[in-house]
Amino acid sequence: MKKATKKVTAKVINKSKLNDFVIRFANVNGTGSASANFLFTKAIFRMGIPVTPKNIFPSNIQGLPTWYEVRVSEKGYLGRREGIDLMVAVNPQSMLTDVKSVRKGGYFLFDSSKPLHSQYHRADINYIGIPLMQICNEAYTDARQRQLFKNIVYVGALIALLDIEFGVVEGLLAEQFKGKEKLIPMNVKALQLGMDYVKANFKYPLDIRVERRNLVKDWIMMEGNAACGLGAVYGGATFAAWYPITPSTSVVEGFSDFAAEFRVDKVTGKKNVAIVQAEDELAAIGMVIGANWNGARSFTATSGPGLSLMNEFLGLAYFAEIPTVLVDVQRTGPSTGMPTRTQQSDILEGAYASHGDTKHVMLFPSTPKECFDLTADSFDLAEGLQTPIIVMTDLDLGMNDHMTPPLVWDDKREYKRGKVLDAEALEKIEKFGRYLDVDKDGITYRTIPGTHPSKGSFFTRGTSRDEYAVYTEDSGSYQRNMDRLMVKWGTAKKMVPAPQVYQKSNKSENGILFFGTSQYAAEEAMDILKEQGKPVDAIRLKAFPFNKTVEDFINSHKRIFVIEQNRDAQMKSLLMIELQTNPAKLISVLNYNGLPITADNILTQMSNYLSSSKKLKKA
């Protein structure tokens, strides 16, 4: 084989980064790179080293730049980190941006089948040129194979450069192509081509490398959307209606796949679930409300634009008090926004969806395990409170693979159906009042259609009614009903998941408050501050409404840094509205560029605020 340019050398010495670096793959969407990049990630994971991948992709089908970023962290930090240590640049379209993103002293791996233009040269980074196209052209005759195996060749090069165990990758290929074993030798050949080129032309491994550890325990890698789908199955859902929208589509797809395995009648062999693709989001949630009203546990999934369309029916479910479960996988808005970028920007819309006075319960999972647990729990909560429950995830959690503790389910667990009257109970009641607050907790008793031949029926409406579900426009009846709903809201505070408090007693006048996927970067920032001798107290929200623990945490600190991924400080606003917190006490730490927030970003914003506060005091 004719050798292309081996490398462009920069006189840079990099300090050794063992099991601690960020690698980014710059590819073209639709070229089959995703499976190769995930193969790389899984190999690191199988070597017992904590790893977290982020798929940064365009909203079109193919042809535009896509990036796959992998953080390797022996310390177990699973959030994004600023700066790239090793860039694998396979896409000429984005190469100028890619070369600029490499950290000083880092590495730039490129396809050297053609000479590298001088505009991509930097004196402060190292270059690794591998003729990927040339290697594949000489090894394969099929055009599609040349494209696909180019990705596997660079994975092979990384095996040598980073000291990845080849046997681990071979094992992963055996798993991937089980039943299609004839494809394994072809992939192994491509890996070997990349390894051989590195060994013949470069000093290896690099100072950036991996070494086997035993740090991942029994954890698994899973997408949050799949975990939500599985949680719905275990939570007892038998009906789902949806309209496809990025990034929530795979929630119902996951539910369908898991239902095909776990929701099959053993006698007839038929699935005992129904899944309907509706004509739009409004129709989808309408079907879900109808199914829940009729006694079936049902749910839907959507993202911001769909949540906007669902507002009218969410108001109906709140006012008529019908259990409803919605998974909202948040993305960048407003309008179409950036459909394939992440954000936490549906907070206020979810909390107060619909016109009039409404308040909706929201749950904030941070990991796939919590996606599973909280989705399953949401059905108990929806029926217990007779109200919509919105599980607030985001694109980062939903569509990226995350390390997570294994999913656990107690087979003895029974579903909590809430205050549902059966025929025997109805026989003992002289007159059934659907909206009578018998227990003074704001939660009334309901019936499921067909329970009794003559008792327990009522007319479900979105208009005002009295305690017996009889239509009325009497001001007193309406106000009593609205007041009771607020009593129920108070009851909900005791039923939703409690927040996670990170310290037994306060150690700092400063506190940080966060939720969802901000957890990863926030916990890393906490560790860095502790190492610097500047510890902060912390609380992670898991649900809205806020209980007394949240209020006490805020009141016991001089200032609270509220970390959230949106422009308008929506969670800060919610805290001010619901807890009457002094706005001056809540300091926003915001990120809204569509990428997951980083610890560096958090620390910079906190430092800037504290520095400016000191200057103001001196002045």
Side-chain angles (χ1 to χ4, degrees):
M1 180 180 74
K2 180 182 177 183
K3 290 186 179 180
T5 305
K6 293 182 182 178
K7 58 181 175 179
V8 180
T9 306
K11 297 179 180 178
V12 178
I13 299 175
N14 209 352
K15 292 182 179 179
S16 178
K17 289 193 173 184
L18 178 63
N19 295 339
D20 182 20
F21 58 88
V22 174
I23 178 170
R24 178 182 280 184
F25 300 86
N27 301 103
V28 178
N29 201 31
T31 57
S33 59
S35 59
N37 296 340
F38 190 45
L39 176 67
F40 169 84
T41 300
K42 287 191 290 185
I44 306 294
F45 180 71
R46 288 289 177 88
M47 289 178 64
I49 307 163
V51 61
T52 181
K54 306 292 182 190
N55 193 11
I56 306 165
F57 58 100
S59 56
N60 75 332
I61 296 174
Q62 65 178 25
L64 289 181
T66 183
W67 294 270
Y68 187 84
E69 190 173 293
V70 181
R71 182 176 186 184
V72 179
S73 173
E74 187 163 299
K75 291 183 178 180
Y77 295 136
L78 300 178
R80 279 191 70 243
R81 197 206 71 191
E82 307 284 351
I84 308 301
D85 297 298
L86 171 58
M87 172 66 72
V88 179
V90 192
N91 185 6
Q93 288 178 275
S94 63
M95 193 169 286
L96 192 58
T97 301
D98 296 333
V99 75
K100 290 178 180 178
S101 67
V102 180
R103 278 187 163 193
K104 181 179 179 181
Y107 293 86
F108 188 77
L109 190 158
F110 66 99
D111 186 348
S112 61
S113 299
K114 296 180 180 179
L116 188 68
H117 194 280
S118 60
Q119 66 179 328
Y120 305 125
H121 291 188
R122 281 176 54 186
D124 60 347
I125 63 174
N126 302 286
Y127 289 79
I128 303 172
I130 300 177
L132 300 171
M133 186 191 308
Q134 183 179 330
I135 289 172
C136 289
N137 285 346
E138 295 181 7
Y140 306 99
T141 56
D142 181 79
R144 182 59 178 164
Q145 285 187 350
R146 287 173 172 175
Q147 177 62 58
L148 292 175
F149 285 120
K150 183 170 75 170
N151 304 317
I152 304 299
V153 171
Y154 69 62
V155 172
L158 293 173
I159 289 174
L161 290 169
L162 303 180
D163 211 13
I164 298 170
E165 296 176 11
F166 183 71
V168 170
V169 183
E170 272 191 312
L172 289 169
L173 288 175
E175 293 176 16
Q176 181 179 343
F177 296 113
K178 187 176 182 180
K180 300 178 181 179
E181 282 75 12
K182 65 179 182 180
L183 297 176
I184 296 175
M186 302 165 66
N187 281 271
V188 171
K189 174 185 175 182
L191 290 173
Q192 198 66 55
L193 288 170
M195 293 170 61
D196 290 345
Y197 189 86
V198 167
K199 291 176 179 179
N201 293 276
F202 298 99
K203 182 180 178 181
Y204 67 95
L206 302 176
D207 42 20
I208 295 174
R209 64 185 185 87
V210 294
E211 186 177 273
R212 177 173 283 277
R213 293 288 186 267
N214 186 26
L215 300 172
V216 303
K217 303 176 185 178
D218 59 346
W219 284 30
I220 60 175
M221 293 200 77
M222 191 175 194
E223 292 182 353
N225 280 358
C228 285
L230 185 59
V233 171
Y234 274 82
T238 56
F239 178 77
W242 64 304
Y243 185 78
I245 181 173
T246 302
S248 72
T249 298
S250 54
V251 173
V252 179
E253 288 177 344
F255 175 72
S256 177
D257 291 341
F258 290 121
E261 183 175 355
F262 299 115
R263 284 264 181 259
V264 177
D265 188 280
K266 294 180 180 179
V267 178
T268 64
K270 294 181 179 180
K271 295 180 186 177
N272 52 16
V273 297
I275 301 172
V276 178
Q277 181 175 327
E279 61 267 34
D280 55 36
E281 289 88 349
L282 188 60
I285 197 165
M287 294 177 189
V288 167
I289 292 170
N292 276 299
W293 175 85
N294 206 41
R297 286 192 158 190
S298 61
F299 78 103
T300 188
T302 193
S303 191
L307 180 60
S308 297
L309 291 171
M310 292 178 178
N311 266 231
E312 182 178 354
F313 266 146
L314 283 169
L316 171 65
Y318 171 82
F319 195 55
E321 298 179 72
I322 303 171
T324 303
V325 173
L326 165 63
V327 179
D328 176 30
V329 189
Q330 299 168 89
R331 73 187 205 190
T332 347
S335 189
T336 306
M338 291 194 292
T340 57
R341 298 292 187 269
T342 195
Q343 229 171 59
Q344 296 172 323
S345 53
D346 296 348
I347 305 304
L348 290 175
E349 183 181 22
Y352 304 122
S354 187
H355 58 279
D357 294 321
T358 54
K359 292 178 186 285
H360 298 297
V361 175
M362 299 187 295
L363 306 180
F364 304 111
S366 292
T367 65
K369 185 181 188 306
E370 288 190 347
C371 284
F372 172 79
D373 291 339
L374 294 184
T375 301
D377 292 345
S378 66
F379 293 95
D380 283 351
L381 276 173
E383 293 199 303
L385 289 166
Q386 299 175 34
T387 198
I389 306 294
I390 307 178
V391 182
M392 306 289 286
T393 74
D394 58 37
L395 184 145
D396 177 29
L397 178 55
M399 294 193 71
N400 284 320
D401 288 281
H402 292 262
M403 277 180 51
T404 188
L407 312 184
V408 179
W409 185 260
D410 182 0
D411 289 331
K412 296 179 181 179
R413 173 172 167 174
E414 294 183 0
Y415 299 139
K416 299 175 183 177
R417 304 304 304 264
K419 296 182 179 182
V420 181
L421 296 175
D422 58 17
E424 184 179 353
L426 285 169
E427 282 289 347
K428 298 176 182 178
I429 297 175
E430 184 176 343
K431 187 177 181 182
F432 171 62
R434 171 64 181 96
Y435 298 106
L436 274 174
D437 188 3
V438 177
D439 301 321
K440 306 304 178 185
D441 58 2
I443 304 172
T444 64
Y445 285 83
R446 67 186 177 106
T447 60
I448 294 173
T451 299
H452 191 282
S454 60
K455 290 186 174 183
S457 61
F458 64 94
F459 193 82
T460 303
R461 61 173 73 246
T463 50
S464 180
R465 70 273 160 167
D466 66 13
E467 287 80 355
Y468 295 91
V470 176
Y471 169 73
T472 179
E473 293 187 17
D474 175 68
S475 298
S477 296
Y478 171 79
Q479 187 165 331
R480 286 196 305 273
N481 189 60
M482 296 301 288
D483 289 343
R484 179 184 56 78
L485 287 172
M486 281 307 296
V487 173
K488 181 165 74 170
W489 187 248
T491 302
K493 294 179 181 180
K494 304 170 187 175
M495 295 175 64
V496 298
Q500 177 183 354
V501 180
Y502 284 75
Q503 62 286 325
K504 291 182 180 179
S505 59
N506 294 336
K507 300 177 183 178
S508 171
E509 64 179 13
N510 296 320
I512 61 173
L513 180 150
F514 50 91
F515 60 97
T517 50
S518 299
Q519 173 188 356
Y520 301 110
E523 289 179 345
E524 183 177 358
M526 287 164 56
D527 284 354
I528 294 172
L529 287 169
K530 186 177 180 180
E531 291 172 1
Q532 295 174 350
K534 306 172 185 176
V536 293
D537 300 327
I539 187 171
R540 176 168 70 93
L541 304 180
K542 291 188 179 182
F544 173 73
F546 310 125
N547 66 12
K548 194 172 184 301
T549 302
V550 179
E551 189 171 6
D552 290 344
F553 179 85
I554 293 173
N555 291 338
S556 61
H557 290 86
K558 182 177 181 180
R559 63 180 69 87
I560 302 294
F561 292 93
V562 183
I563 301 168
E564 51 185 314
Q565 301 184 63
N566 58 71
R567 185 197 67 181
D568 294 340
Q570 295 186 27
M571 183 60 77
K572 174 184 173 181
S573 299
L574 199 57
L575 290 164
M576 290 190 298
I577 294 168
E578 295 294 324
L579 302 181
Q580 303 298 303
T581 305
N582 180 359
K585 194 171 192 176
L586 302 178
I587 317 304
S588 289
V589 177
L590 305 175
N591 179 73
Y592 46 92
N593 61 7
L595 299 175
I597 194 170
T598 65
D600 297 326
N601 188 340
I602 292 171
L603 293 171
T604 298
Q605 291 190 56
M606 289 178 65
S607 177
N608 288 344
Y609 175 83
L610 294 171
S611 296
S612 62
S613 295
K614 288 180 181 179
K615 289 178 182 178
L616 286 172
K617 283 184 179 180
K618 289 180 180 179

